[in-house]
Amino acid sequence: MKCKICGKNAEIQAFGMWLCRDCFLKLFFRRVNKILKKYWHGEKIWVALSGGKDSMALLHYLWENGYPVHGYHINLGIGDYSRSVEDIIRSYTEELGVELLITNLREEYGFSIGEIRRKPCSACGTVKRYLMNKVPRENGAEILVTGHNMDDFLEFFIKNMLGKNYSWSRKLVPYLEREHPKLLPKLRPFYLVGDKEIEIYAKLKGVKYIKENCPLAKLSGWKEILYEIEKKKKNFRYEMILSVWEMAYFFPQEKREIRECKLCGEPTSRDICSFCTLRMRYGKKSTG
Ligand code: SF4
Ligand code: ZN
């Protein structure tokens, strides 16, 4: 096979064509850079690191391209899995020379996701939203960057449509502005690349990441379906995400009054934020 762009030997099938290594990397850069160029204006970046391929490849991308990047990780306390994740993040950030901050949920707040029996993923979501905003902000972050990718957003979009939660799709855009002085803006540079492209990038660049999924994860199967469609419809995922990007702005912005939690002072739409509610139920009661 020959590379569709330069005619050299091609070893990679991606972006709907055969490509050589260099042309793949150029196209990957072009898609990620399109988002960064549009929405990044020199702010100090903190990457939320879960240890998986997306966040670790994103860390590598930002580091290699000279962005002012820092890493933040939450040890969620999910047994051996969390221990392996923390080890790999520590060693990879050290190798790249990137500053890393870690919060250990059990040590600092007295509970862990591994011990929550009822809906652990929902509690985990609350913990991540809260700490990923609070800790980097308190340490000088001006923008929070996450590894959510094109396939994640397509999956969210389908689920929102099927659940008739149409307005939730308003958030399925590459950049979310600051809604409150204490809420960091959020940027998703991998909005135009999916699992497959990121996996190839990680392999070509030797990115280190944890290969296993979280033991509590329940996979929906939607991503496999997207890839099945793409076998018959070239570039389906890319064309679809461009539509989702445009369509998202048609959905009304959720009107919510943001105030400060009576216990911890962090932004919330209730008197007591969901994180403090969790902590009162499972962990230390103090607000320190
Ligand atoms: Fe958290 Fe694991 Fe659930 Fe993901 S799968 S939300 S990491 S508990
Ligand atoms: Zn609170």
Side-chain angles (χ1 to χ4, degrees):
M1 285 295 166
K2 297 280 174 221
C3 172
K4 181 93 195 249
I5 296 178
C6 72
K8 283 193 220 145
N9 278 345
E11 63 224 80
I12 298 160
Q13 208 179 0
F15 302 118
M17 56 189 129
W18 279 96
L19 294 164
C20 68
R21 183 186 191 277
D22 290 350
C23 290
F24 168 83
L25 288 172
K26 270 187 212 149
L27 279 183
F28 188 90
F29 177 86
R30 203 183 293 166
R31 288 221 186 151
V32 181
N33 193 44
K34 184 172 174 173
I35 303 294
L36 285 162
K37 220 168 108 192
K38 192 168 167 72
Y39 297 112
W40 182 71
H41 306 290
E43 300 94 334
K44 280 188 207 133
I45 296 179
W46 284 65
V47 188
L49 295 170
S50 69
K53 72 169 189 329
D54 300 325
S55 61
M56 299 295 255
L58 181 56
L59 176 75
H60 178 278
Y61 180 96
L62 294 167
W63 166 82
E64 191 178 65
N65 289 287
Y67 288 87
V69 64
H70 304 255
Y72 176 59
H73 172 63
I74 306 165
N75 184 318
L76 297 162
I78 307 174
D80 288 344
Y81 175 74
S82 289
R83 277 185 282 277
S84 315
V85 168
E86 185 175 324
D87 285 350
I88 206 160
I89 292 176
R90 275 189 191 280
S91 82
Y92 196 48
T93 46
E94 207 178 300
E95 191 181 315
L96 300 183
V98 169
E99 188 194 325
L100 171 71
L101 203 65
I102 297 184
T103 300
N104 185 304
L105 192 59
R106 164 141 278 295
E107 283 168 17
E108 291 185 36
Y109 295 97
F111 70 100
S112 66
I113 299 301
E115 52 197 85
I116 295 181
R117 295 282 155 258
R118 237 186 110 249
K119 299 194 176 168
C121 290
S122 149
C124 184
T126 297
V127 165
K128 286 180 189 162
R129 274 191 299 276
Y130 180 88
L131 291 175
M132 282 175 180
N133 178 65
K134 180 179 192 288
V135 181
R137 189 197 71 230
E138 289 175 344
N139 284 277
E142 293 166 324
I143 194 164
L144 180 73
V145 165
T146 61
H148 291 108
N149 74 41
M150 168 167 79
D151 301 343
D152 299 325
F153 291 111
L154 291 176
E155 181 179 346
F156 294 144
F157 180 75
I158 294 170
K159 286 180 175 170
N160 292 348
M161 291 298 111
L162 293 177
K164 298 195 168 67
N165 296 310
Y166 306 119
S167 65
W168 292 3
S169 290
R170 176 65 184 77
K171 291 198 178 237
L172 304 185
V173 290
Y175 176 74
L176 293 173
E177 284 172 11
R178 192 186 282 274
E179 277 184 272
H180 180 276
K182 284 188 172 175
L183 280 176
L184 289 173
K186 293 178 192 72
L187 177 60
R188 294 100 172 228
F190 282 169
Y191 190 78
L192 297 176
V193 288
D195 281 340
K196 178 180 166 183
E197 296 78 24
I198 297 168
E199 230 169 271
I200 300 171
Y201 175 86
K203 200 167 160 202
L204 293 177
K205 294 285 185 179
V207 174
K208 289 190 186 136
Y209 64 91
I210 185 129
K211 304 280 183 320
E212 306 98 70
N213 286 323
C214 168
L216 303 174
K218 290 193 186 83
L219 304 175
S220 72
W222 276 111
K223 288 191 178 177
E224 287 74 9
I225 297 171
L226 293 172
Y227 282 83
E228 277 305 312
I229 300 176
E230 192 152 280
K231 281 185 193 160
K232 299 215 164 91
K233 296 279 172 205
K234 213 160 87 176
N235 274 333
F236 167 75
R237 289 174 304 134
Y238 184 58
E239 281 165 21
M240 187 76 192
I241 198 68
L242 293 179
S243 305
V244 170
W245 189 356
E246 273 184 33
M247 213 187 302
Y249 296 104
F250 288 104
F251 296 108
Q253 185 105 41
E254 211 186 326
K255 288 261 176 296
R256 56 177 193 144
E257 190 207 330
I258 304 179
R259 35 201 158 142
E260 295 187 356
C261 170
K262 286 191 172 150
L263 291 180
C264 69
E266 286 299 301
T268 176
S269 50
R270 307 191 234 164
D271 282 350
I272 309 273
C273 75
S274 336
F275 183 82
C276 284
T277 311
L278 263 183
R279 191 166 51 167
M280 285 193 293
R281 182 151 180 211
Y282 297 103
K284 289 184 200 160
K285 308 284 185 286
S286 83
T287 56

